[in-house]
Amino acid sequence: MNTLRNVAIQIDFADSAPLYFQDPVTIIETDNPEEVDTCMRKIQSAVDNGFYAAGYVAYEAAEGLRPEYPVAPGVETPLIWFGIFKSPAAPPEEQGKCPFHLSNWKLSTTERDYEKNIERIRRAISRGETYQVNYTARLNAQFLGYARSLYEQLKASQKGGTVRICIRDGTRFFLSPRNFFFSGRETVCL
């Protein structure tokens, strides 16, 4: 566990007010697949003791939970990253629209590799090894300006839940057309 200040997390819901978290008590994170299960247990223990946990589990963390699931090498983000918080924070003040520039998106894989991967998926489905695959690939773009303005624009275009996490080396956005997040009386569920 690491202590880290200047962390802010905003979780937006399609059907209720957003939650904000800042200045965690501690951070639970790992880059090592062998530590994924231990981190998950620490996060659950913190929640069981009345704390809030907000963060993410990267797809590539699957290797730490189920070694038979192959994952892509070269992940540039922690496999697990969660802030542990005493309680939600007051929402930040609105800053208005601030300028930003985003270059064209560029797919991180080649067209040939993309086509090979899709064909592998089709063969696995036809052999009955799986019935569904969520294929993802990274997109990269150059960004200049205010990250919150970009986030607000992306959020406005989504119909589901969104999450904005500001951590040590920048801002990460998690956006989905599905509403993975919903709030109950005392819980937020994925």
Side-chain angles (χ1 to χ4, degrees):
M1 290 191 197
N2 302 323
T3 303
L4 187 63
R5 295 182 188 200
N6 298 322
V7 168
I9 297 177
Q10 175 180 337
I11 304 173
D12 287 290
F13 304 94
D15 57 357
S16 62
L19 284 176
Y20 300 93
F21 297 95
Q22 63 185 39
D23 299 327
V25 173
T26 192
I27 302 294
I28 299 172
E29 70 178 316
T30 188
D31 297 323
N32 183 345
E34 294 173 6
E35 296 174 357
V36 168
D37 187 58
T38 301
C39 285
M40 296 297 285
R41 292 178 194 278
K42 288 178 181 178
I43 294 163
Q44 185 62 56
S45 176
V47 171
D48 290 346
N49 285 301
F51 290 91
Y52 290 78
Y56 68 89
V57 177
Y59 284 111
E60 292 83 2
E63 179 183 12
L65 299 171
R66 301 283 301 263
E68 66 273 18
Y69 291 160
V71 297
V75 177
E76 297 176 12
T77 184
L79 298 174
I80 290 183
W81 187 99
F82 274 81
I84 305 300
F85 303 87
K86 289 182 182 176
S87 63
E93 288 185 32
E94 293 295 324
Q95 67 181 28
K97 292 194 177 201
C98 296
F100 69 88
H101 171 75
L102 188 66
S103 69
N104 291 332
W105 291 99
K106 183 176 179 186
L107 190 60
S108 64
T109 187
T110 66
E111 185 175 344
R112 182 171 184 233
D113 285 343
Y114 171 82
E115 289 173 0
K116 281 180 15 184
N117 292 337
I118 295 300
E119 186 53 37
R120 283 181 48 213
I121 292 167
R122 287 182 178 142
R123 284 194 308 268
I125 291 170
S126 69
R127 289 190 302 263
E129 295 171 3
T130 186
Y131 67 94
Q132 177 181 337
V133 174
N134 294 329
Y135 181 79
T136 60
R138 285 190 173 88
L139 293 169
N140 297 302
Q142 295 295 316
F143 174 80
L144 296 170
Y146 295 89
R148 180 163 186 128
S149 293
L150 172 60
Y151 173 75
E152 292 298 332
Q153 180 180 324
L154 292 170
K155 181 176 78 170
S157 70
Q158 297 293 307
K159 292 182 175 36
T162 61
V163 177
R164 174 177 172 256
I165 300 178
C166 300
I167 58 175
R168 64 178 176 216
D169 58 347
T171 298
R172 289 178 167 61
F173 302 144
F174 299 86
L175 304 153
S176 174
R178 293 185 182 153
N179 189 9
F180 287 115
F181 310 96
F182 64 92
S183 58
R185 273 184 75 153
E186 296 181 20
T187 61
V188 174
C189 302
L190 298 176

